[in-house]
Amino acid sequence: MKTNIEKSWKKVLQKEFNSDYFINIKSTLINEQKNFTIYPPSKDIFKAFNTTPFDDVKVVIIGQDPYHGIGQAHGLSFSVQDGIKFPPSLENIFKELKTDLNIPYPANGNLTSWAKQGVLLLNASLTVRESDPNSHQNIGWQKFTDSVIQQLSEKREGIIFLLWGGFAKKKGAKIDRKKHHILTTGHPSPLSANRGYWFGNKHFSKTNKLLISMGKNPIDWNVK
């Protein structure tokens, strides 16, 4: 696995890339790829970072791990490649967008347009085995993405963190709330959403109001 990552992130995370645990991640993935199909493709493992440079991050959405179905994952949390059927969580995200901002249901589930505007779509684990959810949660990625969140919390100000569900809330527990904005709600998965923990959260409009209040451009949440 080559660590092809955008230069601002490479500078901020250099200590992690030189650490023993990250060397272990790389060796584990090399071995895994000999025996399993791993998602996303190697070129997309760091796509979230390569699309949203460190200094451009305005919003962070934390997912758990990549989709594990054929052709779905491409390195952005909750996002799928063009032409792929929407997973249930993504469908519920789009339903909330329609209710919150009257944004039409999109033709595709590729959220790259969000990432290009400063929305860091960060999965806690950056890889997964095909058809085996959370299979890479213990190989070191959790420590790596904890450091990503820590660096953003310490070195930036005014970022809006959207923590959806219990896992994301725990992942973001150490974010400096004096420097950043935290919005929490249930996970968009049907299990949570159908119990009333997701719909009506209005996180998309609330995020834009916060951005405008800080003198920043709001996010165009239309999927393009």
Side-chain angles (χ1 to χ4, degrees), residues 21-150:
Y21 86 84
F22 196 85
I23 292 169
N24 181 68
I25 292 175
K26 294 173 75 172
S27 63
T28 299
L29 287 179
I30 289 170
N31 290 326
E32 287 273 296
Q33 289 168 341
K34 294 176 181 176
N35 301 295
F36 304 96
T37 299
I38 304 301
Y39 297 128
S42 293
K43 66 180 178 60
D44 288 334
I45 290 175
F46 295 104
K47 183 173 181 131
F49 306 92
N50 293 334
T51 313
T52 315
F54 183 79
D55 292 328
D56 293 348
V57 175
K58 298 195 291 188
V59 181
V60 179
I61 299 177
I62 299 174
Q64 193 158 353
D65 71 335
Y67 295 123
H68 52 84
I70 296 172
Q72 292 180 307
H74 66 130
L76 304 177
S77 63
F78 294 102
S79 179
V80 292
Q81 299 191 67
D82 293 342
I84 298 296
K85 181 182 178 182
F86 303 161
S89 293
L90 187 57
E91 281 200 33
N92 285 336
I93 288 171
F94 292 150
K95 288 177 182 177
E96 177 61 23
L97 269 174
K98 179 70 169 68
T99 302
D100 186 10
L101 291 171
N102 200 31
I103 288 177
Y105 207 71
N108 72 80
N110 188 330
L111 306 181
T112 300
S113 62
W114 295 5
K116 289 181 177 179
Q117 298 176 75
V119 182
L120 181 66
L121 296 167
L122 178 68
N123 277 318
S125 296
L126 300 189
T127 58
V128 69
R129 288 181 189 171
E130 181 179 8
S131 303
D132 192 0
N134 295 316
S135 48
H136 285 177
Q137 66 176 342
N138 295 321
I139 72 170
W141 283 131
Q142 297 287 340
K143 187 171 184 177
F144 177 77
T145 51
D146 280 346
S147 179
V148 169
I149 294 168
Q150 181 183 357

